[in-house]
Amino acid sequence: MSEPTVSATAPEQDENKLIAERREKLKALREVQAQGGAVAFPNDFKPKDRAAQLHEAHGAIEKEAFEAAIAEGQKVTASVSGRMMLKRVMGKASFATLQDATGRIQIYIVRDDVGLDAYTAFKHWDLGDIVAAEGHVFKTKTGELSIHATSLRLLTKSLRPLPDKFHGMQDQELKYRQRYVDLIMDEAARSRFVARSQTLSAMRSFMSGNGFMEVETPMLHPIPGGANARPFITHHNALEQDMYLRIAPELYLKRLIVGGFERVFEINRSFRNEGISVRHNPEFTMMEFYAAYWNYLDLMDFTESLLRDTAQKAAGTLQLEYQGRAVDLSQPFKRMTIREAILAHTDIGAGVDDPAELTSRLKKLGLSEEKDRLSSRSLPALQVLYFEESVEDKLWEPTFIMEHPTEISPLARANDARPEVTERFELYITGREMANGFSELNDAEDQAARLQAQVASKDSGDDEAMYYDADFVRALEYGMPPTGGCGVGIDRLMMLLTNSPSIRDVILFPALRREV
């Protein structure tokens, strides 16, 4: 007989007992193989049909139409395989439900049609086993599309029991750690990652349709650059030097602009040795793109169009819902400077231009003088800190925040009229940063000075400040045309498009502490 279903929280000894029983069944299969019988793990079966396609092609056909066609010898044959998720044994006839990558299909098994040996074997198979079935399509008395099996085979013996079908996996960390089980049991989880694949395809299509060339740049860097972040360090034995996992592809992509590729993009994995939260994972996915002869205003227009097109194709609508609140991507995205956002969302009033008032408020919010060096910061830098602490989470509808201070934007072009700020923006949706872009700094001497200032900050204890990259400066010395560049956080975008509360929900295998 088949084993009883077990919950994900069943005592460990019960699960161990079930695993032992399954191993005994596999042992018996191996013994049959050793005596010249069927192979325990065959790999010669190739399904010709998928569950979803069968439902789409035949789901609307009435039961009587199937019966009439069968009576006239016009059976619709089907060949499927999948994981057995349900099983109901009833004497000489039984039902099973197989799940493949597209969905589920019911199998009707009659002893006299598949043979006594196959039927007897089937009764000992377990939920989770990978099964192949061939037969003809029909509808049961209840109108469920099914396959009346004429042959049945066990392709893969599952040695571990699945979680209880009614409750699935209740432990959220276990869902992340054993994503393979989560995907087996939770259709919503599978749908999230199908949506992720569709999103990336939509973005690639949009970029190529607008003249951008997809490229690949190194993930191992001799010098980390392109963002203010703490890198992961590794060692290359053959080169006898330390290397850094990429924190951003920016500097390599701009080298390509120097080289004459005027529109490039990369969907990249980047790594930052920083904290983990519902919005942060140390390994994450971005799309960065660069276009010669664009500035930050062009980038904002394009980014808005990109996200609108992607959402329409991946989610099917621009009227989204995130955690119970509406998000409308159909309306023009708001545009505000950091100063304007502070005035709109706080009661600071004229204090927005008073370093002493900003410092006082930041201290009340928990920032410390010693750690955050408040007294040494300029007015624009203090405004950024206050914006981050008081305004970010209030920006629910899509909003571009512009004019970041030059001192904290070492790769961005300064505003010609106000050199203390840059032609830079960050896009916020649901209170989270989704994109970061700016008119690129293409003055090699200015860039060298900015990077030297970053080195000074690093020497003063800022471990997220940038290194000096002499080769990147050399590339700029050959001349880079006026350029705009932007990075879009794919993981956070997927949180929005799939209404997921945590970044771990949209990353197949998020970073977790190693199991003890």
Side-chain angles (χ1 to χ4, degrees), residues 178-198:
Q178 297 181 16
R179 181 68 82 187
Y180 39 89
V181 182
D182 181 37
L183 294 173
I184 291 171
M185 300 303 298
D186 188 351
E187 183 178 355
R190 294 194 299 276
S191 297
R192 278 198 303 274
F193 293 105
V194 169
R196 184 178 178 116
S197 177
Q198 293 170 338

Side-chain angles (χ1 to χ4, degrees), residues 23-140:
R23 289 189 183 277
E24 284 298 316
K25 293 177 183 180
L26 177 57
K27 180 181 178 182
L29 292 174
R30 295 191 193 280
E31 289 174 352
V32 169
Q33 179 177 345
Q35 296 170 10
V39 175
F41 286 87
N43 69 342
D44 59 343
F45 182 83
K46 293 178 172 53
K48 297 182 178 65
D49 302 286
R50 295 292 185 270
Q53 285 70 40
L54 289 172
H55 283 289
E56 182 178 356
H58 309 293
I61 299 175
E62 297 293 334
K63 173 178 176 292
E64 292 72 18
F66 275 112
E67 292 174 346
I70 291 170
E72 295 174 4
Q74 297 177 354
K75 297 179 180 178
V76 176
T77 60
S79 164
V80 298
S81 65
R83 190 178 300 276
M84 187 162 65
M85 303 300 294
L86 298 170
K87 177 183 174 185
R88 188 155 46 102
V89 178
M90 305 181 302
K92 296 180 181 180
S94 300
F95 287 94
T97 297
L98 302 187
Q99 176 175 289
D100 64 18
T102 69
R104 294 184 176 188
I105 189 75
Q106 180 171 266
I107 312 297
Y108 177 55
I109 306 113
V110 179
R111 183 191 66 185
D112 294 342
D113 293 331
V114 298
L116 178 60
D117 290 344
Y119 191 71
T120 301
F122 161 76
K123 290 196 292 184
H124 290 84
W125 296 347
D126 299 301
L127 300 185
D129 289 349
I130 309 296
V131 174
E134 295 179 299
H136 66 266
V137 181
F138 78 110
K139 279 196 172 178
T140 64

